[in-house]
Amino acid sequence: MVASALSRMSRNNSTVRGRLWRASNPTLDAAYANIGLTELAQGRQAEAEATFRKAIQAAPASGAARLALANFLWSVRRTQEAEQAFKDALALNPADLAANRALGMFYMSSARTAEAEPYFKTIAQNARTTDAAINLADYYIVRRRQLAVADLY
């Protein structure tokens, strides 16, 4: 009976320790992303990619993890894979402002500016901030289009 109670206490302490660790530490996907960025800065591309993929494994529902991988792939000019990774991040949360901006910028830099518009509109309509409006305005300047107030709100 005592052994059974001690076993339950041990399991409960383990659970509590795990919860305390998660509460006091950043998410695992963010930690992996930071490690991946460090590896990339050190020129260790293969290790960085593996780490970004571990971030996705650690938190499959994390758009931030997929966005980190997408940005990595874009930085090493693996554009088809990067585009898919950006879309995967958006599929998890279509209103994610960072993912919308990243995919919009990806299309702008790839000379596919017409494809960027819905992403910048999503930012402007959901964020309702000056920065969001400026992103959309910049897009219209590049496209040589008139910005309508209705596009902002």
Side-chain angles (χ1 to χ4, degrees):
M1 188 172 234
V2 173
S4 175
L6 287 174
S7 175
R8 277 195 310 272
M9 283 178 50
S10 177
R11 274 182 281 162
N12 287 341
N13 283 342
S14 175
T15 302
V16 169
R17 279 194 308 270
R19 286 183 185 146
L20 286 173
W21 183 87
R22 285 190 295 278
S24 63
N25 289 286
T27 59
L28 215 46
D29 57 322
Y32 277 123
N34 286 332
I35 293 167
L37 289 171
T38 300
E39 291 168 336
L40 185 58
Q42 294 171 347
R44 298 174 16 222
Q45 287 184 2
E47 292 91 343
E49 181 176 359
T51 301
F52 289 126
R53 292 191 187 279
K54 282 181 192 173
I56 294 170
Q57 290 173 345
S62 170
R66 292 175 191 284
L67 195 55
L69 175 64
N71 281 316
F72 163 77
L73 293 168
W74 186 15
S75 75
V76 296
R77 293 176 174 55
R78 290 167 50 190
T79 55
Q80 289 180 332
E81 292 173 83
E83 181 178 7
Q84 187 57 54
F86 283 126
K87 288 179 179 180
D88 291 345
L90 273 175
L92 293 172
N93 179 5
D96 183 301
L97 300 177
N100 274 285
R101 184 175 189 287
L103 189 52
M105 294 302 292
F106 172 81
Y107 285 136
M108 294 289 283
S109 73
S110 303
R112 296 163 57 187
T113 56
E115 294 176 67
E117 183 173 7
Y119 304 103
F120 288 117
K121 279 189 173 182
T122 297
I123 296 167
Q125 291 167 350
N126 291 323
R128 302 208 185 274
T129 65
T130 303
D131 287 344
I134 290 171
N135 278 323
L136 184 59
D138 286 344
Y139 165 78
Y140 280 129
I141 289 169
V142 169
R143 295 283 297 161
R144 292 184 169 87
R145 289 186 45 202
Q146 188 73 26
L147 177 65
V149 174
D151 290 332
L152 298 176
Y153 305 104

